[in-house]
Amino acid sequence: MLKKVSFLVFAVVASLLLILTGCGKDKEVVTTGKEEDANGKTLRIVTDANYAPFEFLEGNKVVGFDIDFIKAVAKEAGYEAKVESVGWDPIFVEIESKRADVAVSAITVNDERKQTYDFSVPYFLSTNKILVPEKSDIKSGDELKGNSIAVQTGTTGQEAVEKLLGKNHKDIKKFENNNLAIQELLQGGAAAVVADNTVVEEYVKNNPDQKLKVVEDSQAFNEEFYGLMFPKGSELKADFDKAVNAIYENGKYAEIYKEWFGVEPDLETLKAQQ
Ligand code: ARG
């Protein structure tokens, strides 16, 4: 009997502990300090925290340029927001089904995605680049042909490589996240990774011992702009567009940008896209 009771106590304590510690994984409540006019609603914001320096995990905490950016925008717009890392493919499912309110994940705005989702005004200029070992003699997009190329599934990187090699080409190795694509390169299973310039450049800078380099080819890869992604018809778009422009004007965007990239942003180029 005593044994039974103490087991029960143990079970209750253990599940309480689980609730207290386990559930918070990859989630972060962003307190914007504007609770009184936050419409009483906490927005659910989703990301794929495998894309440094835009979004990545520091312990259980989702951090990065995008995270600081969305915090500032949500605060400006008067919303409480909670950021959760759900993975790349799930972002699109969560937004389309309206289970999440906003996605921030270095998401390129393009015509295909615009058919299903709404996007904010652009907030970042990007392009795909090629990540290769220092000794590689790949010098252009064209020279990717005949090699195994690793990409993150469902990204513009995959799309760009398909344009060069052909759709569903056997040499294109697709991974659930970009870090896995880089691992494949490091293990010799791929000759290159194609992904957003800032991400591959950051990787090379942070991992000098891995002896990698970045190859650019502005002929093969287009200019892209990131946007916040909303469910089609979301009323948040107007508020968030206004807030993005407000932090362009009041210096907050430049402050965050300088913190992560060490240089001033080119606001004129971004604004010219609106
Ligand atoms: N900009 C690219 C795209 O929209 C890649 C984004 C990947 N983002 C991420 N968090 N994994 O397709």
Side-chain angles (χ1 to χ4, degrees), residues 48 51 55 88 105-108 113 152 155-156 196 224 226:
D48 167 29
Y51 218 56
E55 42 269 332
W88 178 249
S105 207
I107 305 172
T108 299
R113 290 176 182 162
Q152 184 184 1
T155 59
T156 55
D196 292 357
E224 301 181 12
Y226 297 163

Side-chain angles (χ1 to χ4, degrees), residues 77-231:
Y79 289 96
E80 287 281 310
K82 192 164 108 184
V83 180
E84 188 182 335
S85 180
V86 297
W88 178 249
D89 284 341
I91 286 177
F92 296 87
V93 180
E94 297 282 314
I95 295 292
E96 196 178 352
S97 65
K98 299 190 164 69
R99 279 199 295 269
D101 302 289
V102 188
V104 63
S105 207
I107 305 172
T108 299
V109 183
N110 62 28
D111 287 340
E112 197 194 329
R113 290 176 182 162
K114 273 201 223 159
Q115 293 180 4
T116 316
Y117 311 94
D118 278 347
F119 288 91
S120 69
V121 291
Y123 71 88
F124 199 89
L125 171 64
S126 174
T127 186
N128 276 291
K129 285 193 182 175
I130 307 167
L131 178 67
V132 287
E134 258 171 22
K135 289 197 225 109
S136 165
D137 36 52
I138 292 175
K139 288 181 298 301
S140 69
D142 224 38
E143 288 172 9
L144 293 176
K145 289 175 190 159
N147 291 293
S148 245
I149 314 300
V151 295
Q152 184 184 1
T153 316
T155 59
T156 55
Q158 176 187 332
E159 210 179 291
V161 175
E162 280 180 338
K163 236 188 225 160
L164 294 162
L165 270 66
K167 226 176 158 61
N168 298 319
H169 195 286
K170 61 163 178 34
D171 288 346
I172 306 175
K173 291 191 169 181
K174 298 172 209 157
F175 296 88
E176 190 182 318
N177 74 55
N178 197 60
N179 291 331
L180 294 174
I182 295 178
Q183 286 313 311
E184 186 70 9
L185 171 70
L186 294 176
Q187 285 159 19
V193 168
V194 173
D196 292 357
N197 63 319
T198 314
V199 171
V200 290
E201 277 153 8
E202 172 90 357
Y203 191 86
V204 169
K205 200 178 84 198
N206 291 341
N207 299 278
D209 48 313
Q210 281 164 1
K211 307 216 174 314
L212 300 173
K213 67 179 179 189
V214 173
V215 175
E216 68 173 279
D217 182 342
S218 53
Q219 298 291 312
F221 306 120
N222 298 329
E223 271 195 346
E224 301 181 12
F225 289 91
Y226 297 163
L228 302 171
M229 191 170 81
F230 308 93

